[in-house]
Amino acid sequence: QVQLVESGGGLVQPGGSLRLSCVASGNTFLFSIWTVGWYRQAPGKQRELVATSSTGGKTRYADSVLGRFTISRDNAKNMVYLQMNSLRPEDTAVYYCFKYPDTWGQGTQVTVSS
């Protein structure tokens, strides 16, 4: 079994930055070949896939965050990160780390407000 735990959320002003972290534990032997990523969900809105990271350094981003967010990973530490810059109020959501296709964390709240 695999567990994912996110951290790093909080309150930030528009234009500010946050870095989210996600640590995987349990059966992480194959962490380096997992497809991992982040999704978010705001109240009253559908879940949105934010970013993914897969083997070979392949990354994908939602159009809404492209150029502002960067996903990265440290396979030696079983960690996934999401660097969020130029934050906007519409980025406010609970952010979840996931391992495709079957595991996700508890979420961390990101609030962008002046």
Side-chain angles (χ1 to χ4, degrees):
Q1 58 183 4
V2 174
Q3 300 82 42
L4 303 173
V5 179
E6 305 95 332
S7 62
L11 175 64
V12 64
Q13 294 190 9
S17 297
L18 284 174
R19 189 178 79 155
L20 306 183
S21 299
C22 171
V23 61
S25 61
N27 187 9
T28 59
F29 183 73
L30 298 177
F31 181 88
S32 63
I33 65 170
W34 294 350
T35 293
V36 298
W38 297 86
Y39 68 89
R40 65 187 182 185
Q41 189 160 32
K45 298 183 178 180
Q46 289 193 28
R47 189 181 80 175
E48 179 183 23
L49 181 64
V50 174
T52 61
S53 171
S54 57
T55 300
K58 293 177 288 185
T59 59
R60 303 287 187 271
Y61 297 93
D63 288 343
S64 57
V65 308
L66 187 65
R68 300 187 298 121
F69 291 12
T70 303
I71 188 170
S72 61
R73 64 199 295 171
D74 186 338
N75 291 329
K77 297 180 179 180
N78 299 322
M79 296 285 292
V80 187
Y81 306 97
L82 186 68
Q83 178 67 46
M84 305 185 294
N85 299 326
S86 302
L87 284 161
R88 305 165 180 167
E90 54 263 42
D91 295 319
T92 296
V94 178
Y95 284 71
Y96 299 87
C97 175
F98 70 87
K99 165 192 174 292
Y100 183 84
D102 54 14
T103 308
W104 58 93
Q106 84 290 346
T108 186
Q109 176 71 47
V110 172
T111 302
V112 184
S113 180
S114 60

